[in-house]
């Protein structure tokens, strides 16, 4: 089993910065990707950014230039730094952990979500 514990989020002013972290524990295999998704009210969950164990990143166009995603493999923790926050960045941010096990089966795990509110 895998557990994800998110921290960070809360109320942030537009133009400010946000830092989220997500610690993953449990049975972890080396082939994995960690990342963040978000869901605004009335909208579908969307990709924010992901990062592989080797450091390859993928980001949504809506956050490019404002976002840094990083991970500490020793701590199995992924970090998200989002700058110049916009009202459209508000929503529930979910940590995601995807891995391939020794039988080449892919599994997907989600955190409980952390609310980010952006004030004008």
């Amino acid at each position: 089993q895998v557990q994800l514990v998110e921290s960070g989020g809360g109320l942030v002013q537009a133009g400010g910065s946000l830092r989220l972290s997500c610690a993953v524990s449990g049975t972890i295999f080396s082939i994995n990707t960690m990342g963040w998704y978000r869901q605004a009210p009335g909208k579908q969950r969307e990709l924010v950014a992901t990062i592989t164990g080797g450091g390859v990143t993928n980001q949504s166009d809506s956050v490019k230039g404002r976002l840094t995603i990083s991970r500490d493999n020793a701590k199995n923790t992924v970090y998200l730094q989002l700058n110049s926050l916009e009202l459209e960045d508000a929503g529930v941010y979910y940590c995601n952990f995807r891995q391939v096990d020794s039988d080449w089966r892919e599994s997907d795990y989600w955190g409980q979500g952390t609310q980010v509110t952006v004030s004008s």
Side-chain angles (χ1 to χ4, degrees), residues 35-117:
W36 293 91
Y37 290 72
R38 68 187 181 191
Q39 187 167 19
K43 294 188 177 181
Q44 289 189 330
R45 191 175 298 188
E46 63 175 4
L47 167 74
V48 179
T50 61
I51 182 169
T52 68
V56 177
T57 64
N58 180 36
Q59 300 180 5
S60 165
D61 287 341
S62 65
V63 297
K64 278 184 180 176
R66 302 189 291 125
L67 178 142
T68 302
I69 186 169
S70 60
R71 61 186 284 170
D72 184 333
N73 290 331
K75 295 181 179 180
N76 294 315
T77 299
V78 60
Y79 305 96
L80 179 76
Q81 175 82 28
L82 185 58
N83 301 318
S84 303
L85 278 165
E86 304 169 352
L87 295 179
E88 293 74 21
D89 292 319
V92 179
Y93 282 67
Y94 295 93
C95 179
N96 174 260
F97 180 74
R98 182 170 297 165
Q99 69 177 352
V100 176
D101 66 20
S102 55
D103 292 323
W104 296 102
R105 292 174 302 193
E106 186 175 275
S107 298
D108 225 6
Y109 303 90
W110 294 91
Q112 77 281 4
T114 184
Q115 178 72 47
V116 172
T117 302

